[in-house]
Amino acid sequence: MNDLEKVYTERYNKHLFGICKELEDYIRLCLRDVSRIDRITTRPKSIKSFIEKSKSTDNAGDKKYLDPINQIQDQIGARIITFYTRDVERIYELLLESLKPIEQKNRIPDSEWEFGYFGNHSIFLLPTEVYESDFEPGVVPQFFELQIKTMFQHAWSEANHDLGYKNIEASMSPNDKRLLAFTSAQAWGADFTFNDLSAKHLSDYPETKH
Amino acid sequence: MAITAIHSFLVHPLKGAKNPFKVGGTEVTFSGKLYDLLDEVYTRSESECSIPIAFRMSEDGTQTNRCRTIIQDHLKHENLTTGSAIAKRLSENTTKRSSLGLLFLICGNEVGASPYKKLVISRFPVNSAILAEENSEKLSIEFLERVFMRSAHAYKSVLYKDSSIDHGFWKGHAVDRQVNSGDIETSAYWINDFLDSEYATTPKQGTMRLASAFRKATQVTDDLDIKQELTAASILFKNFDGQTLSAESALSSLGLSEKSRNLILSQFKNPSLAKERFTFNATLFSTETPYRSIQLDTGATLMAQTEKFDDLFKRTESDNEDQLVTYSTSGRITSERIEKRR
């Protein structure tokens, strides 16, 4: 076990589970009056996944993370799964009343002619509520990653992740890639349709926005 | 703890000015009375700076903040050039109303189990004073301009500490003696304009945290005196609407008994939560408060724990259009008091 693994293992075993539990409770409290949330979950990044990420490289082959313990900001991850696409923005805006963001990104494919991963990703400062006591800087993470997705976006990304897309991309045939894009397009279409139907048939959703 | 560099700059109020900034800075040596004073500023910042603040995310959603960037740059190089960028930014965000200031940038390294870097930024406001010198024959007095005083009401400071310069330093703790002065322009420029930051504890977050402590305190005590104090305090809190406060400071100013105060403070999971300052929202607090009260136009007041109110008071409404309501309840009297009204 190298030094980085030792440091992260200690952090993982001592602090991350407790912080995750408190964070989940806090997000639930913030959204307690919000309907059409399928689930709210949190997780500490596994030791294996953290070490793998710490070794990742960019296109030029250089290491992405020179100071992984401080640089990797998704050591704590939270996910909110919503019913409709319009809920994503609504929930993000509501959370801004109780959390401070340092990054916000709507992840969409590069071109309008492509289909793939969709999701709202943000990095927030961990609220003081999640810490049992004061810590010196560097002992516990300061940030967490929050993903807000619809059920269809979530379903597609989970299956895509399970297939190990990142690892098999190079060996996939063009047809297989099209099939993956096709399933993403279907999920996008389902979201689009349910969003429209919710606007038409649910009295508390008066406007349609895409 | 070890101070590694101290730089000082005279900061002119140049917000909106057309003339370019002329920086006048110097490095402070590590000896003498000035050093002793600044060493005290550096050390006391840990307890004095009690407003948690966080740099704002950039408008395009990326992790860049102009003020954080120049602070990180100064932490890396600790020289007059990097310090002057901070002084320039303060100057460009200071209006003539805030007048001249003397800025100190105090960098340090803290060692221990988890070493970290620390920066204290302090602005001493300008003042005037009279110097009186006495010898055996006479007293000489002299008017002094450009005296910079830490104790003045306009003193401002901010503390940053983190283990990683590149990937940390998103949060800090500030002190601004003008926050509750009602002078929004002068109190906003330090945190919002110069530091490009906001309170880390949002009004909703801080208010709900306080209300939750009240609710829990009410549930865990059977002491009727404490319950009554909590009830009165939760009503008085509406007077704090829009003010920047911490749970500790607000409870102190209400003059609660030590028993009640300690009971509420013990409901905060982490003691530092009770010290964090935030802008109090009275409307939100009243909806989250442990007690619900209704006042009738007859002068009668009904009050009970929020979650039990509807069970304890039976409500019937008149069929007429006079909006008359009748409440009824029954129980044994456990205490009765007559409050003297002034």
Side-chain angles (χ1 to χ4, degrees):
Chain A
M1 195 185 280
N2 61 26
D3 283 350
L4 177 64
E5 194 169 343
K6 264 186 207 161
V7 171
Y8 188 70
T9 303
E10 188 182 346
R11 179 179 275 196
Y12 181 87
N13 290 329
K14 267 193 185 169
H15 304 297
L16 298 191
F17 278 101
I19 291 174
C20 277
K21 164 81 177 63
E22 296 296 333
L23 178 65
E24 191 170 315
D25 289 348
Y26 184 69
I27 295 173
R28 284 183 194 283
L29 177 70
C30 295
L31 301 175
R32 68 185 171 182
D33 299 323
V34 180
S35 57
R36 300 186 180 96
I37 290 178
D38 180 63
R39 78 195 84 156
I40 296 168
T41 54
T42 55
R43 62 98 186 104
K45 195 171 194 69
S46 72
I47 297 165
K48 183 173 172 254
S49 170
F50 176 82
I51 296 300
E52 274 175 15
K53 188 165 184 172
S54 73
K55 291 175 184 164
S56 56
T57 54
D58 58 21
N59 292 339
D62 296 325
K63 283 187 88 171
K64 270 188 190 173
Y65 302 103
L66 299 174
D67 179 17
I69 200 77
N70 288 307
Q71 216 172 343
I72 294 177
Q73 293 174 326
D74 66 346
Q75 292 171 36
I76 302 278
R79 192 175 280 157
I80 301 169
I81 307 299
T82 69
F83 281 23
Y84 309 117
T85 47
R86 70 184 62 222
D87 296 324
V88 172
E89 186 66 21
R90 184 171 66 107
I91 286 166
Y92 176 75
E93 293 294 329
L94 266 173
L95 287 174
L96 292 184
E97 292 176 7
S98 308
L99 290 164
K100 289 285 171 193
I102 62 166
E103 183 183 299
Q104 199 278 323
K105 219 182 265 181
N106 272 321
R107 294 206 177 172
I108 53 171
D110 293 337
S111 150
E112 291 83 355
W113 295 94
E114 287 176 30
F115 279 96
Y117 184 85
F118 290 84
N120 177 309
H121 286 215
S122 311
I123 304 291
F124 283 97
L125 292 171
L126 276 162
T128 324
E129 275 83 350
V130 305
Y131 301 118
E132 287 291 342
S133 60
D134 288 342
F135 291 102
E136 290 297 309
V139 177
V140 289
Q142 298 180 51
F143 316 100
F144 73 98
E145 187 196 56
L146 175 70
Q147 299 179 2
I148 312 176
K149 293 181 207 172
T150 64
M151 290 189 285
F152 287 105
Q153 287 170 349
H154 175 61
W156 186 87
S157 68
E158 285 296 291
N160 184 55
H161 182 74
D162 190 54
L163 285 172
Y165 175 73
K166 279 182 189 168
N167 302 327
I168 61 170
E169 185 185 3
S171 62
M172 283 177 89
S173 69
N175 206 41
D176 282 350
K177 287 181 183 173
R178 271 192 205 99
L179 282 170
L180 264 183
F182 173 61
T183 56
S184 168
Q186 284 184 310
W188 181 87
D191 267 336
F192 190 93
T193 307
F194 274 114
N195 209 46
D196 261 3
L197 289 171
S198 68
K200 279 181 195 162
H201 298 288
L202 296 173
S203 57
D204 54 342
Y205 279 154
E207 291 171 31
T208 305
K209 238 165 81 176
H210 297 300
Chain B
M1 64 189 74
I3 293 178
T4 51
I6 306 175
H7 296 92
S8 181
F9 302 87
L10 196 59
V11 176
H12 294 265
L14 289 178
K15 186 169 186 177
K18 288 175 186 168
N19 297 331
F21 173 79
K22 287 176 191 165
V23 62
T26 186
E27 195 162 345
V28 178
T29 54
F30 289 7
S31 62
K33 287 184 179 170
L34 176 59
Y35 175 75
D36 292 343
L37 171 75
L38 295 173
D39 188 35
E40 194 196 330
V41 168
Y42 180 83
T43 307
R44 281 182 56 176
S45 63
E46 300 275 350
S47 56
E48 193 173 49
C49 298
S50 61
I51 307 174
I53 56 170
F55 287 114
R56 288 192 189 104
M57 177 178 74
S58 72
E59 281 180 13
D60 64 0
T62 57
Q63 294 186 31
T64 48
N65 176 288
R66 285 161 298 176
C67 186
R68 177 174 171 260
T69 303
I70 57 173
I71 282 174
Q72 287 171 306
D73 202 29
H74 183 63
L75 281 160
K76 282 178 195 165
H77 303 290
E78 296 185 1
N79 60 35
L80 274 172
T81 310
T82 53
S84 71
I86 298 174
K88 180 173 183 285
R89 182 174 171 85
L90 177 58
S91 178
E92 288 169 351
N93 282 288
T94 307
T95 62
K96 284 187 177 156
R97 213 167 151 190
S98 295
S99 187
L100 198 63
L102 191 61
L103 181 72
F104 289 99
L105 307 175
I106 313 170
C107 295
N109 284 329
E110 301 292 318
V111 291
S114 48
Y116 58 87
K117 195 90 193 146
K118 177 170 162 179
L119 170 67
V120 177
I121 304 176
S122 280
R123 179 189 181 275
F124 287 44
V126 70
N127 224 307
S128 53
I130 295 169
L131 175 70
E133 280 186 310
E134 190 180 32
N135 59 33
S136 57
E137 292 175 2
K138 63 170 186 174
L139 170 72
S140 69
I141 54 173
E142 191 185 345
F143 182 77
L144 299 177
E145 284 182 289
R146 290 196 172 190
V147 174
F148 296 90
M149 296 172 70
R150 181 174 173 235
S151 57
H153 79 286
Y155 170 69
K156 294 170 192 298
S157 188
V158 63
L159 160 70
Y160 292 102
K161 53 183 189 178
D162 214 314
S163 57
S164 165
I165 296 177
D166 283 327
H167 310 294
F169 285 95
W170 272 100
K171 291 188 286 189
H173 284 81
V175 59
D176 182 350
R177 302 245 166 96
Q178 287 171 301
V179 155
N180 278 333
S181 67
D183 187 345
I184 291 168
E185 186 189 336
T186 48
S187 61
Y189 93 88
W190 179 251
I191 293 172
N192 301 144
D193 300 341
F194 164 53
L195 296 171
D196 195 9
S197 298
E198 291 169 336
Y199 291 164
T201 309
T202 66
K204 184 176 177 183
Q205 186 180 8
T207 305
M208 286 186 67
R209 188 190 285 170
L210 183 59
S212 166
F214 259 85
R215 221 171 25 243
K216 285 180 192 164
T218 314
Q219 286 161 359
V220 297
T221 184
D222 292 325
D223 186 323
L224 277 175
D225 286 338
I226 292 181
K227 277 183 186 281
Q228 284 188 340
E229 265 199 281
L230 295 180
T231 311
S234 64
I235 292 166
L236 287 172
F237 255 97
K238 70 170 188 282
N239 299 322
F240 291 127
D241 190 36
Q243 288 190 33
T244 302
L245 51 81
S246 70
E248 264 189 7
S249 67
L251 293 173
S252 295
S253 68
L254 285 178
L256 287 181
S257 69
E258 202 175 331
K259 270 198 304 186
S260 297
R261 188 172 172 276
N262 290 341
L263 181 68
I264 296 168
L265 293 177
S266 66
Q267 305 310 313
F268 288 92
K269 186 176 59 182
N270 173 350
S272 65
L273 290 172
K275 293 185 175 73
E276 286 191 356
R277 294 173 73 88
F278 61 95
T279 306
F280 180 73
N281 180 331
T283 310
L284 178 61
F285 186 78
S286 68
T287 61
E288 297 288 325
T289 205
Y291 288 99
R292 179 178 163 197
S293 71
I294 287 180
Q295 194 155 24
L296 303 179
D297 60 0
T298 57
T301 303
L302 298 90
M303 184 176 293
Q305 278 182 267
T306 305
E307 58 267 35
K308 293 181 181 170
F309 191 96
D310 291 333
D311 295 333
L312 293 172
F313 293 107
K314 187 185 167 197
R315 175 183 168 127
T316 46
E317 291 179 22
S318 148
D319 291 335
N320 302 327
E321 288 180 359
D322 52 12
Q323 296 182 319
L324 274 181
V325 292
T326 305
Y327 282 97
S328 60
T329 190
S330 63
R332 291 182 186 85
I333 294 171
T334 53
S335 79
E336 185 173 338
R337 285 187 185 183
I338 298 171
E339 297 284 339
K340 187 179 170 186
R341 295 248 176 218
R342 285 184 184 174

